[in-house]
Amino acid sequence: MSEAHPSADGLQSRRRRLEGLGTAELVELFGRLDSAERAVQFRLLQKDRAVAVFEDLDPRVQREVVDSLREEATTELFAALDPDDRAPLLDELPAGVAARLLEDLSPDERAQTMALLGYPEDSAGRRMSPQVLTLDEDTTVASALDRVRHAPESVETIYVLPVTGPRRRVHGVVSLRRLLVSDPEARVADLMVPAATVRATDSSEDAANVVRDGGYVAVPVVDTEDRLLGVLTVDDAMRVLEAADDEDAARVGGTEPLRRPYLSAPVLSVVRSRIVWLFVLILAATLTVGVQSYFEAELDAVVALALFIPLLIGTGGNAGSQAATTIVRSMAVGDVRTADVWRVLGRELLTGALLGFSLAAVGIAPAAWVAGWDIAAVLALTVVGVCSLATTVGACIPLVARRIGIDPAIVSAPFISTFVDTTGLVLYFSIAKLILGI
Amino acid sequence: MSEAHPSADGLQSRRRRLEGLGTAELVELFGRLDSAERAVQFRLLQKDRAVAVFEDLDPRVQREVVDSLREEATTELFAALDPDDRAPLLDELPAGVAARLLEDLSPDERAQTMALLGYPEDSAGRRMSPQVLTLDEDTTVASALDRVRHAPESVETIYVLPVTGPRRRVHGVVSLRRLLVSDPEARVADLMVPAATVRATDSSEDAANVVRDGGYVAVPVVDTEDRLLGVLTVDDAMRVLEAADDEDAARVGGTEPLRRPYLSAPVLSVVRSRIVWLFVLILAATLTVGVQSYFEAELDAVVALALFIPLLIGTGGNAGSQAATTIVRSMAVGDVRTADVWRVLGRELLTGALLGFSLAAVGIAPAAWVAGWDIAAVLALTVVGVCSLATTVGACIPLVARRIGIDPAIVSAPFISTFVDTTGLVLYFSIAKLILGI
């Protein structure tokens, strides 16, 4: 009855068919399906319907639905799908189902199963610990402590305990420390504090920043309806941030992250992490050859112009790198968001102009002494223009990249240098033509 | 009797005088001195003697020594000293004195007092929490839990408890979780595990890496004799690492860290964070003008050579940035140490040569088509040379910097680019002279 590799068409038509059925009909249908088909059809349901259906299922069938989602055959079936086909299939799984699905799995099994959950890669949902000890609001301190004492080893942390109400909704958290110093007869509801929570679909880096900025031991991870799915603990948050910083640092420097310690990485994999970008950059740099060919007459007429090319484009590249570095890092720690693009643009234009004027003011006399006042004037104007251009472009490209969904660190400092090289040359020769009348 | 601002000479001679005295004479001396003088003389003692003297002092005088170290006048007196004069005065303070000195201080007072402790800036000692709950080995679980319940609010963490023996030596740690699930009559010594500790004089970044890599909630901070001074908690470790990553990211990009959110920093302070490096780099780049002047005859003879200058030095700069970025980051996370310099050099020379050969192999035919086979040969050889040079220099300069005590991130990617620009030009023109016979 079930197809081994359902096509996207088959899925779409099945989805439409399911949408035509009422909850009672669906409950009845799920009682009859075989294991793999049950998993597929359940994941085809939109979330609110999945909640309703799951809650109406016979507990035995509920168990079977969860089991079918766990089975290796199901995982393989999902893995074989084209990612685009898989996406519509994976609306967020209801919290009750997700929590049961993830219970008692080994880390390996969990990683496998995560692919079924509908949380994007690098999301908080993929990094959370689903084994979590929750307390009811009406629990007394004494019985809460008793539950802590009998928590299985697999429960990740007992130092921060989410307090949940009906349907696993998170109402607050209480720390073990608070429990220990409180009256054994007190109600947990009177001791809890409002919880900082993160969504399972949030990026794991954003979630880790919440943990770090708040100085928390763990933060509850919830679904879109604030129902508890798990916790993100501080040690996992630190690992997420380390990996993110590794990646940012590598990409800002124009390489792919090695993902292993440098000295243990084979030289060929180091080469591989760098060659693509180096090649892209040299290809981009061929534009500079074109620009110089175009201005060959001017270059021949005033050979002295050539002397300052490396200095000018180097300065532009450096100014651009500085701006890009600042903005990429500010985005990583959450200080700057894509909506700030116009403010950043204004600030960087001003910053670049001020940097350019400062350099020009200091450098114009020595330049005049070496190459004469007319070339010094060309250089001074070019420095102001190149610095303004470089800081603005260097700061805005990462923001634009983020908005269109590219890792801002990829649009790295060397990339910006190469861009500035080309435009800087055009600016230089254009100003020279104008001032020197060549 | 006490001088307001003791000179280095005065300190040296007083130190020598103290060295001539026996413990009993010193004990007697400390009973007689006034407050400020007592603080100075006590800090002039070498650590082992300070331990001996402090332990023999009357408890009332002990208290007075600690108080005198806390007094504002003492802090001001120390702050007024030249750092070089202050250094010999500040041997590590004995753990017993340090712990008492730091107890019950407000965070502000603590920051002030830290300067007296002999821990270098950015050391773990400066970031630790001195309020820590310790357990004796012979304590039972029941009485340990009782102590936890009555721990003052100011105790930073109760989730990881150091177990200490005589003279505050750290014998292990026990987690609160372990205590909760254990037999109330069990001895703490039978439950504790060996402690990962850090030294108060370790850099705070290294110490934070220990916390992160081990996934600890807190790590005991000890003096050079393994005596407990405090704990470094995971939230403080995360803050240390964030600040360190901020600094590294900024410096690799050739700016000073802003130390505040980008959008709230005045434009002038952004300019200030960048202008110094930009100026240093443009000054270094004037070398490229010199190199090109030197080779002006060759440049005049074959004008086509000029066309490829930005492309060549840009590629060298990019290859150098990649290598520097990788090594700076590897050092930050502890994967590469200064002793690895020769291995790194060998690996990067090979990496650079492979990168250069790859680029030359792909680029030689198009280059020949544009500029002829002789110039293409010059370009190919130069690319191999520049890439090998750039990766080697880019990787080794940060290592050498660390060894001579400079922040490796300061010797930033743009700095290396500028260095490679100059040497790359020399290489380019030399190879051109040789092959083209000009």
Side-chain angles (χ1 to χ4, degrees):
Chain A
M1 190 173 12
S2 72
E3 301 162 35
H5 289 214
S7 68
D9 279 358
L11 291 177
Q12 289 301 341
S13 67
R14 268 189 280 184
R15 178 170 215 160
R16 272 193 301 277
R17 202 159 56 230
L18 289 174
E19 279 168 7
L21 300 178
T23 305
E25 289 167 298
L26 286 169
V27 168
E28 199 259 347
L29 174 69
F30 278 100
R32 286 187 287 113
L33 293 173
D34 77 4
S35 176
E37 188 62 16
R38 183 186 277 139
V40 171
Q41 303 248 13
F42 188 72
R43 294 308 277 119
L44 277 173
L45 292 177
Q46 276 166 320
K47 188 180 172 188
D48 45 355
R49 307 202 69 208
V51 177
V53 169
F54 190 77
E55 284 173 355
D56 279 358
L57 287 176
D58 183 88
R60 190 188 47 84
V61 185
Q62 280 187 350
R63 182 82 248 157
E64 281 172 14
V65 167
V66 171
D67 285 345
S68 66
L69 286 170
R70 269 186 189 166
E71 269 166 26
E72 209 172 320
T74 310
T75 316
E76 277 168 15
L77 186 149
F78 274 72
L81 289 175
D82 189 82
D84 290 343
D85 297 339
R86 197 163 50 202
L89 208 105
L90 292 177
D91 197 6
E92 200 183 41
L93 204 63
V97 185
R100 285 176 62 172
L101 184 58
L102 292 169
E103 260 167 25
D104 310 320
L105 290 182
S106 73
D108 276 356
E109 291 168 323
R110 194 183 300 160
Q112 259 197 334
T113 313
M114 284 292 184
L116 282 169
L117 280 174
Y119 313 133
E121 227 174 306
D122 293 325
S123 66
R126 298 279 187 109
R127 303 304 295 257
M128 70 186 180
S129 312
Q131 268 97 352
V132 50
L133 192 65
T134 60
L135 302 175
D136 280 336
E137 288 187 311
D138 295 326
T139 308
T140 62
V141 168
S143 71
L145 284 174
D146 197 54
R147 292 202 53 206
V148 167
R149 264 184 220 103
H150 295 100
E153 280 281 342
S154 60
V155 166
E156 189 82 10
T157 182
I158 54 164
Y159 299 141
V160 174
L161 302 164
V163 182
T164 52
R167 297 176 175 243
R168 295 178 74 85
R169 275 220 175 70
V170 177
H171 289 197
V173 291
V174 61
S175 71
L176 178 59
R177 186 169 184 171
R178 189 78 199 273
L179 289 178
L180 277 173
V181 299
S182 298
D183 173 12
E185 294 311 311
R187 277 173 69 241
V188 160
D190 299 325
L191 302 173
M192 69 185 184
V193 294
T197 60
V198 296
R199 290 264 166 91
T201 47
D202 286 349
S203 90
S204 56
E205 198 179 340
D206 287 347
N209 274 330
V210 170
V211 175
R212 168 166 67 189
D213 294 348
Y216 301 118
V217 175
V219 161
V221 180
V222 296
D223 71 2
T224 43
E225 281 124 31
D226 283 334
R227 297 181 190 193
L228 186 73
L229 295 168
V231 289
L232 181 67
T233 55
V234 62
D235 51 328
D236 288 330
M238 285 184 100
R239 276 187 210 108
V240 166
L241 291 174
E242 184 184 12
D245 285 342
D246 269 350
E247 201 175 282
D248 272 3
R251 289 195 167 149
V252 165
T255 85
E256 282 303 299
L258 280 175
R259 301 194 194 286
R260 56 188 295 186
Y262 170 78
L263 287 175
S264 72
V267 167
L268 275 181
S269 77
V270 176
V271 170
R272 245 194 321 271
S273 73
R274 300 183 190 168
I275 187 71
V276 175
W277 277 113
L278 214 50
F279 190 73
V280 169
L281 293 169
I282 207 172
L283 216 64
T286 56
L287 279 174
T288 62
V289 180
V291 170
Q292 290 200 90
S293 302
Y294 181 82
F295 288 103
E296 210 162 0
E298 287 77 10
L299 208 52
D300 275 353
V302 190
V303 179
L305 284 179
L307 295 185
F308 297 97
I309 288 175
L311 180 141
L312 279 177
I313 64 182
T315 300
N318 291 333
S321 293
Q322 290 181 327
T325 304
T326 306
I327 298 303
V328 168
R329 180 70 190 160
S330 295
M331 279 197 284
V333 297
D335 286 345
V336 168
R337 311 201 161 268
T338 51
D340 299 319
V341 64
W342 296 108
R343 273 186 75 193
V344 169
L345 191 142
R347 289 169 60 91
E348 287 298 330
L349 194 60
L350 185 56
T351 302
L354 288 172
L355 289 171
F357 276 117
S358 312
L359 294 178
V362 174
I364 196 164
W369 183 70
V370 171
W373 279 103
D374 46 356
I375 287 191
V378 173
L379 289 174
L381 282 175
T382 308
V383 160
V384 174
V386 162
C387 283
S388 310
L389 185 77
T391 53
T392 314
V393 170
C396 291
I397 282 192
L399 284 166
V400 173
R402 164 72 62 95
R403 178 162 287 181
I404 61 177
I406 301 174
D407 178 357
I410 283 191
V411 193
S412 56
F415 180 87
I416 288 164
S417 300
T418 307
F419 172 86
V420 172
D421 284 0
T422 310
T423 46
L425 281 174
V426 173
L427 203 66
Y428 182 40
F429 287 119
S430 305
I431 292 175
K433 268 180 89 163
L434 211 71
I435 292 197
L436 306 181
I438 43 178
Chain B
M1 199 185 352
S2 72
E3 302 162 32
H5 290 215
S7 70
D9 277 359
L11 291 177
Q12 289 302 339
S13 66
R14 268 189 281 183
R15 178 169 214 162
R16 271 193 302 277
R17 202 160 55 230
L18 288 174
E19 278 166 9
L21 300 177
T23 303
E25 289 168 298
L26 285 168
V27 168
E28 199 258 348
L29 174 69
F30 278 100
R32 286 186 288 111
L33 292 174
D34 76 6
S35 177
E37 187 63 16
R38 183 187 278 140
V40 172
Q41 304 247 13
F42 187 73
R43 293 307 278 123
L44 277 172
L45 292 177
Q46 275 165 321
K47 188 181 172 191
D48 47 353
R49 306 201 71 207
V51 177
V53 170
F54 191 77
E55 286 173 354
D56 279 359
L57 287 176
D58 183 87
R60 189 186 49 80
V61 184
Q62 279 187 351
R63 182 82 248 158
E64 281 172 13
V65 167
V66 170
D67 285 344
S68 67
L69 286 169
R70 269 186 188 166
E71 270 166 26
E72 208 173 322
T74 310
T75 316
E76 277 168 15
L77 185 150
F78 274 70
L81 288 175
D82 189 81
D84 290 344
D85 297 341
R86 198 163 52 202
L89 208 107
L90 292 177
D91 197 4
E92 199 184 41
L93 204 63
V97 185
R100 286 176 61 171
L101 184 57
L102 292 169
E103 260 167 26
D104 310 320
L105 290 182
S106 74
D108 275 357
E109 290 170 324
R110 194 183 300 161
Q112 257 197 337
T113 314
M114 283 291 184
L116 283 168
L117 279 173
Y119 312 133
E121 226 175 306
D122 293 324
S123 66
R126 297 280 185 108
R127 303 304 295 256
M128 70 186 179
S129 313
Q131 268 97 351
V132 49
L133 192 65
T134 60
L135 302 175
D136 279 337
E137 287 186 311
D138 295 326
T139 308
T140 62
V141 167
S143 72
L145 284 174
D146 197 56
R147 290 202 56 207
V148 167
R149 263 183 220 105
H150 296 100
E153 281 281 342
S154 61
V155 165
E156 189 82 11
T157 182
I158 55 163
Y159 298 140
V160 173
L161 303 163
V163 182
T164 52
R167 296 176 175 245
R168 297 178 72 86
R169 275 220 175 68
V170 177
H171 289 196
V173 290
V174 61
S175 71
L176 178 59
R177 186 170 184 172
R178 189 80 201 269
L179 288 178
L180 277 174
V181 299
S182 298
D183 173 14
E185 294 312 312
R187 277 174 70 240
V188 159
D190 298 327
L191 303 174
M192 69 185 184
V193 294
T197 59
V198 296
R199 290 265 167 90
T201 47
D202 287 350
S203 90
S204 57
E205 198 178 340
D206 288 347
N209 274 329
V210 169
V211 175
R212 167 166 67 191
D213 294 346
Y216 302 117
V217 175
V219 160
V221 180
V222 296
D223 71 2
T224 44
E225 280 125 33
D226 284 334
R227 299 181 190 193
L228 186 73
L229 295 167
V231 290
L232 182 67
T233 55
V234 63
D235 51 327
D236 287 331
M238 286 184 100
R239 277 187 209 108
V240 166
L241 290 175
E242 183 185 11
D245 285 342
D246 269 350
E247 201 174 283
D248 271 4
R251 289 196 168 147
V252 165
T255 85
E256 281 303 301
L258 281 175
R259 301 193 195 288
R260 57 188 294 186
Y262 170 78
L263 287 175
S264 71
V267 167
L268 274 181
S269 77
V270 176
V271 170
R272 247 197 318 272
S273 74
R274 300 183 189 168
I275 187 68
V276 174
W277 277 112
L278 214 51
F279 191 73
V280 169
L281 293 169
I282 208 173
L283 215 66
T286 55
L287 279 174
T288 63
V289 180
V291 170
Q292 290 200 91
S293 302
Y294 181 81
F295 287 103
E296 210 161 359
E298 287 77 12
L299 207 52
D300 275 353
V302 190
V303 178
L305 283 180
L307 296 185
F308 298 96
I309 288 175
L311 180 141
L312 279 177
I313 63 180
T315 300
N318 291 333
S321 293
Q322 290 181 327
T325 304
T326 307
I327 298 303
V328 167
R329 180 70 190 159
S330 296
M331 279 197 285
V333 298
D335 287 344
V336 168
R337 310 201 160 266
T338 52
D340 299 319
V341 64
W342 296 108
R343 274 185 73 192
V344 170
L345 191 141
R347 289 169 60 92
E348 288 297 330
L349 195 59
L350 186 56
T351 302
L354 288 172
L355 289 171
F357 276 118
S358 312
L359 294 178
V362 174
I364 195 164
W369 184 69
V370 171
W373 280 103
D374 47 355
I375 285 189
V378 172
L379 289 173
L381 282 175
T382 309
V383 160
V384 175
V386 162
C387 283
S388 310
L389 185 77
T391 52
T392 314
V393 171
C396 292
I397 283 191
L399 285 166
V400 173
R402 164 72 61 93
R403 178 161 290 180
I404 60 176
I406 301 175
D407 178 357
I410 283 191
V411 194
S412 58
F415 180 86
I416 288 164
S417 300
T418 308
F419 172 85
V420 172
D421 284 359
T422 310
T423 47
L425 281 174
V426 173
L427 203 65
Y428 182 40
F429 287 118
S430 305
I431 292 175
K433 268 181 87 162
L434 211 69
I435 292 199
L436 306 181
I438 44 180

